[in-house]
């Protein structure tokens, strides 16, 4: 049984009120750890530690911050296997995915923002021979970073790295469902040499620790990734104090396949888009829209690609789809499938061939439904599980109408060989991230974020660093040169 403490002022500390939250391995249903149940007094301690560390940290040179971020990245690489094992254990994700995608991306996030900082430049203007204007960017103080359970360390580091690069100190609140890697991440930050108080991690429930962080008057900047309903509450809370807020929220993303597309590639990517990480990625393509003339052949290919995905023990390196993250989430997704008024093309239940170790785990087969009414919950609301719908469209305008028919606007994937059509749709699909003949191909320099109810603001590139800084326009008039 592991004890996962808060990391405050460069040391592990228990919850001030002594409470614990059990941490369960979802693939087995067994509790393997407990994390500190943070309260507002723990947040208070962490914020005071971050405040005390801020003056010195904000005055460090670019070279010092870059060196620390790069050392931290190297330590993540050195501990990749251990972190991947923890990430797989508390999230139910396939170990191969954690090892080859998610933990390497944590190191990449740290290196990327070290490099962004090294190449940062500011504008300067001369409005008259003796008048110079430039932008001075100062770090905004203590940053609050709140992250979800689906890509725990990947998303936490995507916030923490730019905040530290910007010269802010951080109080982070990971999801209490998957707290293990954040704890190790904190410890490794100490080994990398970050001064005490620069990075603090407080575990606990969103309704308690998360909410106390959002409401704390000494935390002027909140970066949040999570569900749309939580994001709305946080936006309201932050507005009262005019906090700067970035909200990366839910999605119900269309995967649109035209008749002229490479149907083999589109079908295998559609299965990957729907079921990667058990469908628990905000970018998953959960609404598969196919031009009616090719629907039968596409459906056959999609079902074959889905059948080839092995559901199994996340600790097995050949597993493609692990368990759902938790029992409540499993029950929610199962209910969404069972109450959907459509035809199940594949899946819908619990896999029958799980190993003994996983008998009590929360597994669901990859599920595809069709014949759903456009207005039903499964077509409009985020399910966040291994469930996709398949629907025909008649032509480009019908495809566009369906693609935009939800309150979300996070991502879209469009498959066509017609370049004109690709351009038209890239301009008209209401989404913050649009892939043409691709899914989940990312370049960290490009803006990332959602339209409509999928969020506010953009992360990525130098914008992520600037989010944590306050720009000031400075004007200098030279003295009389004579
Ligand atoms: P939640 O919104 O439930 O929680 C996200 C984080 O916020 C958790 O750490 C949570 O703590 C915390 N939290 C909950 N309530 C509050 C509150 N009132 N004040 C402050 N913090 C709070 O999301 P999930 O963890 O369920 O994650 C899944 C969601 O995240 C999906 O909707 C998914 O689409 C979205 N997501 C969006 C991404 C994007 O980039 N747009 C990327 C990845 C996921 P606790 O765990 O204790 O509830």
């Amino acid at each position: 049984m592991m004890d996962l403490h808060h990391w405050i002022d460069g040391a592990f500390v228990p919850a001030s009120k002594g409470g614990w939250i059990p941490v369960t391995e979802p693939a087995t249903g067994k509790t393997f750890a407990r994390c500190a149940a943070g309260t507002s007094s723990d947040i208070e301690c962490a914020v005071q530690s971050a405040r005390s560390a801020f003056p010195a940290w904000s005055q460090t040179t670019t070279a010092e911050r870059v060196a620390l971020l790069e050392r931290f990245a190297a330590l993540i690489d050195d501990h990749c296997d251990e972190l991947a094992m923890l990430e797989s254990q508390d999230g139910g994700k396939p170990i191969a995915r954690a090892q080859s995608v998610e933990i390497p991306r944590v190191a990449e996030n740290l290196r990327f923002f070290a490099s962004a900082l090294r190449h940062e430049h500011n504008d300067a203007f001369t409005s008259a021979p003796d008048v110079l204007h430039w932008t001075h960017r100062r770090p905004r103080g203590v940053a609050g970073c709140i992250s979800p359970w689906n890509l725990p360390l990947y998303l936490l580091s995507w916030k923490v790295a730019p905040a530290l690069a910007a010269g802010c100190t951080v109080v982070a609140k990971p999801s209490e469902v998957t707290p293990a890697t954040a704890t190790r991440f904190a410890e490794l930050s100490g080994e990398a040499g970050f001064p005490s108080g620069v990075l603090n991690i407080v575990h606990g429930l969103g309704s308690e620790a998360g909410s106390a962080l959002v409401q704390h008057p000494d935390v002027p900047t909140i970066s949040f990734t999570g569900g749309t309903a939580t994001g709305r509450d946080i936006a309201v809370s932050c507005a009262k104090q005019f906090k700067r807020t970035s909200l990366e929220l839910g999605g119900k993303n269309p995967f649109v396949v035209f008749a002229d597309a490479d149907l083999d590639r589109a079908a295998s990517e559609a299965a990957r888009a729907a079921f990667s990480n058990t469908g628990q990625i905000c970018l998953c393509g959960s609404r598969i829209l196919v031009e009616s003339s090719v629907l039968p052949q596409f459906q056959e290919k999609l079902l074959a690609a889905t059948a080839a995905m092995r559901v199994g023990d996340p600790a097995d390196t050949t597993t493609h789809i692990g368990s759902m993250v938790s029992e409540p989430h499993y029950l929610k997704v199962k209910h969404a499938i069972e109450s959907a008024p459509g035809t199940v093309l594949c899946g819908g239940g619990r896999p029958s061939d799980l190993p003994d170790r996983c008998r009590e785990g929360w597994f669901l087969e990859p599920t595809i439904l069709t014949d759903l009414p456009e207005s039903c919950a499964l077509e409009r609301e985020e399910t966040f599980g291994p469930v996709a719908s398949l629907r025909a469209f008649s032509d480009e305008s019908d495809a566009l109408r369906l693609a935009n028919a939800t309150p979300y606007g996070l991502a879209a994937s469009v498959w066509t060989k017609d370049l004109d059509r690709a351009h038209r749709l890239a301009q008209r699909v209401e989404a913050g991230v649009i892939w043409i003949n691709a899914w989940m191909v990312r370049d960290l320099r490009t803006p990332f974020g959602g339209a409509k109810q999928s969020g506010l603001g953009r992360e990525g590139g130098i914008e992520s660093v600037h989010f944590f800084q306050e720009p000031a326009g400075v004007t200098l008039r030279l003295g009389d040169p004579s």
Side-chain angles (χ1 to χ4, degrees):
M1 189 82 162
M2 255 188 283
D3 280 349
L4 306 170
H5 292 104
H6 305 315
W7 177 263
I8 298 177
D9 209 21
F12 282 127
V13 294
S16 58
K17 298 211 168 121
W20 294 101
I21 300 169
V23 183
T24 303
E25 178 175 18
T28 62
K30 295 200 169 66
T31 298
F32 72 99
R34 53 184 193 164
C35 77
T39 59
S40 54
S41 36
D42 299 311
I43 290 289
E44 184 60 38
C45 282
V47 171
Q48 290 321 320
S49 150
R51 261 169 66 90
S52 308
F54 178 71
W57 180 247
S58 61
Q59 295 304 311
T60 47
T61 63
T62 299
E64 284 166 332
R65 294 209 289 279
V66 165
L68 280 168
L69 287 164
E70 287 180 344
R71 207 174 305 146
F72 197 6
L75 279 170
I76 299 293
D77 285 338
D78 292 347
H79 293 81
C80 179
D81 288 351
E82 175 201 347
L83 289 164
M85 198 272 287
L86 283 175
E87 203 77 305
S88 169
Q89 194 174 13
D90 71 359
K93 67 177 71 247
I95 183 89
R97 181 185 161 83
Q99 245 162 357
S100 64
V101 179
E102 295 193 20
I103 302 302
R105 170 65 190 274
V106 175
E108 168 78 1
N109 286 342
L110 294 163
R111 282 201 185 95
F112 175 80
F113 287 111
S115 165
L117 188 56
R118 194 181 264 138
H119 295 103
E120 189 191 14
H121 63 270
N122 277 315
D123 294 327
F125 310 96
T126 46
S127 56
D130 61 343
V131 182
L132 184 63
H133 311 263
W134 70 91
T135 307
H136 174 71
R137 293 182 190 277
R138 65 176 84 102
R140 301 192 86 238
V142 179
C145 299
I146 303 177
S147 51
W149 47 258
N150 65 321
L151 307 170
L153 203 51
Y154 174 125
L155 289 173
L156 185 79
S157 58
W158 179 236
K159 297 178 179 308
V160 166
L164 296 177
C168 289
T169 53
V170 172
V171 177
K173 209 297 281 175
S175 170
E176 96 287 350
V177 180
T178 53
T181 46
T183 312
R184 197 66 185 106
F185 181 73
E187 195 175 16
L188 292 173
S189 76
E191 263 180 58
F194 282 90
S196 299
V198 168
L199 171 63
N200 305 274
I201 304 269
V202 177
H203 295 297
L205 296 176
S207 52
E208 208 160 349
S211 163
L213 179 58
V214 167
Q215 289 173 30
H216 201 293
D218 294 330
V219 182
T221 314
I222 296 289
S223 176
F224 171 80
T225 297
T228 294
T230 316
R232 187 176 288 114
D233 289 347
I234 288 177
V236 168
S237 204
C238 286
K240 289 183 189 152
Q241 294 182 50
F242 299 101
K243 293 192 178 200
R244 186 177 291 174
T245 319
S246 159
L247 302 170
E248 297 289 349
L249 310 177
K252 189 76 190 172
N253 311 306
F255 191 103
V256 186
V257 183
F258 285 90
D260 66 344
D262 175 340
L263 295 187
D264 288 315
R265 256 187 88 202
S268 88
E269 284 295 285
R272 196 171 73 85
F275 304 123
S276 284
N277 203 41
T278 325
Q280 301 169 141
I281 302 180
C282 54
L283 301 168
C284 275
S286 55
R287 292 186 298 134
I288 305 172
L289 307 171
V290 182
E291 194 159 1
S292 50
S293 59
V294 293
L295 183 67
Q297 55 275 45
F298 183 84
Q299 180 173 316
E300 196 179 312
K301 291 173 195 295
L302 175 65
L303 291 177
T306 304
M309 298 182 95
R310 236 190 106 251
V311 185
D313 188 345
D316 179 339
T317 53
T318 63
T319 291
H320 299 115
I321 301 179
S323 70
M324 308 283 304
V325 77
S326 67
E327 185 180 20
H329 193 53
Y330 164 85
L331 293 173
K332 185 179 145 220
V333 175
K334 196 157 158 281
H335 174 74
I337 296 171
E338 285 164 359
S339 55
T343 310
V344 176
L345 291 174
C346 68
R350 204 182 144 75
S352 52
D353 54 351
L354 291 168
D356 283 353
R357 193 181 96 85
C358 298
R359 275 230 191 92
E360 305 295 317
W362 300 307
F363 290 82
L364 267 179
E365 292 171 314
T367 302
I368 302 175
L369 293 111
T370 193
D371 304 328
L372 290 163
E374 272 181 42
S375 57
C376 79
L378 213 107
E379 286 286 32
R380 290 186 53 80
E381 289 163 21
E382 186 180 47
T383 318
F384 220 54
V387 191
S389 66
L390 182 64
R391 170 181 297 280
F393 63 82
S394 52
D395 56 17
E396 187 179 315
S397 68
D398 194 30
L400 185 64
R401 179 187 68 78
L402 288 167
N404 290 339
T406 78
Y408 297 102
L410 188 54
S413 176
V414 176
W415 292 74
T416 180
K417 287 185 183 145
D418 179 338
L419 261 183
D420 290 348
R421 175 154 63 202
H423 274 286
R424 279 194 300 273
L425 286 168
Q427 287 166 21
R428 291 173 195 165
V429 171
E430 295 161 355
V433 180
I434 298 158
W435 287 292
I436 314 284
N437 299 325
W439 178 74
M440 197 71 170
V441 181
R442 291 271 294 120
D443 182 319
L444 304 189
R445 291 170 294 188
T446 57
F448 179 87
K452 293 154 79 178
Q453 293 188 22
S454 289
L456 266 188
R458 290 293 179 271
E459 294 181 330
I462 200 65
E463 283 180 59
S464 279
V465 179
H466 287 170
F467 171 74
F468 292 102
Q469 295 171 326
E470 192 68 44
V474 183
T475 296
L476 171 73
R477 165 165 274 151
L478 300 177
D480 185 350
S482 55

